[in-house]
């Protein structure tokens, strides 16, 4: 695809070569993300960061990624502080706000809303999550993490064995990740969820049409024995009619160190898009896994900055200029030494 000026709305818009391009640019961002070097390549550029649903990692890492490229970030959070509460259409809002920014990131509770917004925008729009539909930048950082984590085991994305665990019906991260895996070969997926929260049929169909082996189950122990990646997800409480309904499923698939030791191969990598629900009645990934070197959740979150820097550099067409505007850093930063 031609990245310059493109909206990033869905995984469906990518081909395999595009993923390689994004990952190559992300790799080149590491000295900047680790503050060994700074670049001013986007000096003067403005990111409109518009989040109409709760977010920590996605919003802050989009902002940090833009700052690390030398650009400025303008934040809008919550409906109550925006004219959308006065009945303004997404199209009008986009038409106006795109005059104030060079690129826009957006999260919104309605499926399809970010694409609708992009239609009115005069600048590239990156989807930070539209309802239960998609979360394409998360899937890219997840796959980037999978690739990095598996490299030390001599395994690659083709041939991957992965279990996705939790609320697969409402989880937009797993929806986008499944679509992304369709670009690769010979993947075994075990989809572990309560029956009521199963992966949508159309996504299972797409996986099978891509030639992948898909197993659907509600039993965790029998699903995590022969896998490279255990990808756990949170019950998406905000997508249920009531908290009580979400409570029916909370805490059904807990992974802790003793379950890991009993059932998983020793190198199985544990991932989660975060936030993990650490309340006692949920505790989907126990804190006792924090000392497990295969718990990749924080490396995964760090990788989000690299992948989002790559996407900004590509859509604003500066990927090949980043180093021309760089210098060594002059302040102490402990990340640099790692
Ligand atoms: C996810 C999301 O918002 O879809 N979080 C994220 O972006 N890292 C997952 C979640 O909220 O459970």
């Amino acid at each position: 695809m031609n990245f310059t000026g493109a909206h990033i709305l869905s995984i469906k818009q990518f081909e395999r070569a595009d993923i390689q391009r994004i990952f190559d640019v992300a790799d080149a961002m590491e000295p900047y993300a680790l503050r060994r070097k700074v670049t001013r390549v986007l000096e003067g550029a403005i990111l409109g960061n518009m989040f109409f649903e709760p977010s920590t990692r996605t919003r802050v890492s989009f902002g940090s990624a833009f700052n690390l490229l030398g650009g400025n970030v303008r934040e809008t959070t919550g409906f109550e502080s925006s004219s959308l509460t006065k009945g303004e259409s997404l199209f009008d809002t986009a038409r106006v706000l795109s005059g104030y920014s060079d690129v826009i990131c957006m999260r919104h509770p309605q499926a399809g809303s970010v694409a609708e917004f992009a239609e009115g925008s005069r600048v590239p729009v990156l989807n930070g999550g539209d309802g239960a539909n998609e979360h394409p930048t998360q899937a890219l950082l997840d796959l980037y993490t999978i690739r990095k984590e598996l490299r030390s085991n001599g395994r690659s994305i083709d041939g991957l064995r992965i279990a996705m665990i939790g609320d697969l019906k409402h989880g937009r991260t797993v929806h986008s990740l499944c679509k992304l895996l369709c670009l690769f070969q010979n993947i075994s997926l075990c989809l572990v969820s309560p029956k009521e929260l199963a992966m949508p049929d159309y996504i299972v169909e797409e996986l099978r049409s891509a030639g992948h082996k898909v197993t659907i189950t509600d039993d965790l122990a029998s699903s995590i024995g022969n896998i490279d990646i255990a990808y756990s997800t949170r019950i998406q409480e905000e997508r249920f009619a009531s908290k009580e309904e979400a409570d029916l499923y909370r805490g059904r698939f807990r992974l802790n160190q003793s379950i890991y030791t009993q059932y998983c191969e020793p190198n199985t990598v544990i991932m989660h898009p975060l936030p993990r629900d650490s309340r006692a009645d949920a505790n989907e990934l126990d804190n006792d896994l924090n000392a497990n070197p295969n718990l990749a959740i924080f490396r995964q979150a760090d990788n989000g900055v690299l992948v989002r820097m790559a996407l900004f550099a590509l859509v604003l067409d500066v990927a090949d200029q980043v180093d021309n505007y760089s210098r060594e850093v002059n302040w102490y930063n402990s990340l640099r030494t790692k």
Side-chain angles (χ1 to χ4, degrees):
M1 70 178 270
N2 178 10
F3 282 98
T4 307
H7 301 305
I8 306 292
L9 300 173
S10 164
I11 284 298
K12 291 301 226 181
Q13 68 195 88
F14 298 117
E15 291 173 14
R16 188 162 167 160
D18 304 322
I19 307 304
Q20 191 57 50
R21 176 83 176 121
I22 295 167
F23 288 179
D24 288 344
V25 177
D27 286 343
M29 295 299 172
E30 198 167 276
Y32 303 98
L34 294 179
R35 318 307 197 270
R36 292 197 184 102
K37 286 180 173 180
V38 281
T39 178
R40 307 302 311 165
V41 72
L42 288 185
E43 186 162 25
I46 296 176
L47 163 66
N49 214 14
M50 303 179 57
F51 277 71
F52 298 115
E53 258 195 345
S55 174
T56 306
R57 267 148 297 273
T58 307
R59 182 175 60 82
V60 179
S61 73
F62 267 129
S64 300
F66 207 74
N67 288 148
L68 287 165
L69 291 167
N72 300 314
V73 182
R74 206 167 275 280
E75 302 266 359
T76 305
T77 49
F79 283 110
E80 57 295 338
S81 54
S82 121
S83 279
L84 289 167
T85 52
K86 299 181 183 171
E88 185 170 53
S89 69
L90 284 167
F91 184 94
D92 285 5
T93 309
R95 196 82 196 146
V96 173
L97 290 179
S98 57
Y100 307 157
S101 340
D102 297 275
V103 57
I104 292 175
C105 296
M106 187 175 181
R107 170 173 287 187
H108 191 284
Q110 247 171 284
S113 54
V114 182
E116 191 182 328
F117 182 89
E119 277 174 32
S121 174
R122 292 168 281 171
V123 300
V125 175
L126 278 60
N127 183 358
D130 61 323
N133 184 34
E134 275 223 41
H135 196 344
T137 66
Q138 179 73 40
L140 291 167
L141 79 88
D142 287 344
L143 195 67
Y144 183 78
T145 303
I146 291 171
R147 188 186 71 144
K148 240 185 190 170
E149 296 287 327
L150 292 193
R151 215 177 264 161
S152 53
N153 300 342
R155 297 188 56 83
S156 66
I157 304 172
D158 291 318
L160 176 73
R161 304 164 303 161
I162 183 169
M164 296 184 185
I165 304 155
D167 183 354
L168 307 184
K169 177 180 178 190
H170 302 107
R172 55 193 170 198
T173 72
V174 283
H175 297 170
S176 286
L177 184 55
C178 284
K179 292 176 191 177
L180 186 50
L181 290 175
C182 287
L183 297 176
F184 293 81
Q185 311 276 314
N186 189 26
I187 299 194
S188 295
L189 295 103
C190 196
L191 303 176
V192 189
S193 73
K195 288 189 178 57
E196 301 82 352
L197 304 182
M199 183 67 74
D201 288 342
Y202 87 95
I203 297 179
V204 174
E205 275 315 302
E206 285 180 17
L207 289 166
R208 291 197 167 127
S209 310
H212 298 333
K213 179 169 172 268
V214 183
T215 311
I216 295 171
T217 174
D218 60 1
D219 182 53
L220 182 67
S222 64
S223 308
I224 54 176
N226 299 296
I227 54 170
D228 303 301
I229 305 283
Y231 188 107
S232 174
T233 65
R234 181 179 65 87
I235 299 298
Q236 306 282 292
E237 181 180 323
E238 63 278 30
R239 314 254 179 256
F240 287 79
S242 66
K243 181 181 171 301
E244 289 66 37
E245 195 191 339
D247 284 342
L248 297 175
Y249 306 106
R250 215 188 297 279
R252 282 270 277 274
F253 302 112
R254 294 178 185 196
L255 193 55
N256 59 27
Q257 187 55 47
S258 77
I259 295 173
Y260 182 91
T261 309
Q262 190 178 349
Y263 296 104
C264 293
E265 290 173 355
N267 284 329
T268 304
V269 174
I270 306 163
M271 294 177 59
H272 191 299
L274 301 179
R276 58 175 156 170
D277 188 342
S278 295
R279 288 171 288 194
D281 58 344
N283 208 16
E284 56 225 6
L285 284 185
D286 197 297
N287 281 332
D288 72 0
L289 290 162
N290 288 359
N292 184 326
N294 292 313
L295 183 77
I297 56 177
F298 300 119
R299 296 191 287 276
Q300 189 182 351
D302 283 348
N303 289 334
V305 173
L306 297 173
V307 168
R308 291 180 172 123
M309 287 176 82
L311 290 169
F312 287 133
L314 286 163
V315 300
L316 296 176
D317 197 21
V318 294
D320 300 329
Q321 300 174 52
V322 175
D323 293 336
N324 300 345
Y325 294 85
S326 73
R327 64 167 173 81
E328 302 293 308
V329 305
N330 52 319
W331 62 84
Y332 173 75
N333 190 312
S334 50
L335 285 179
R336 212 185 318 161
T337 56
K338 300 220 170 89

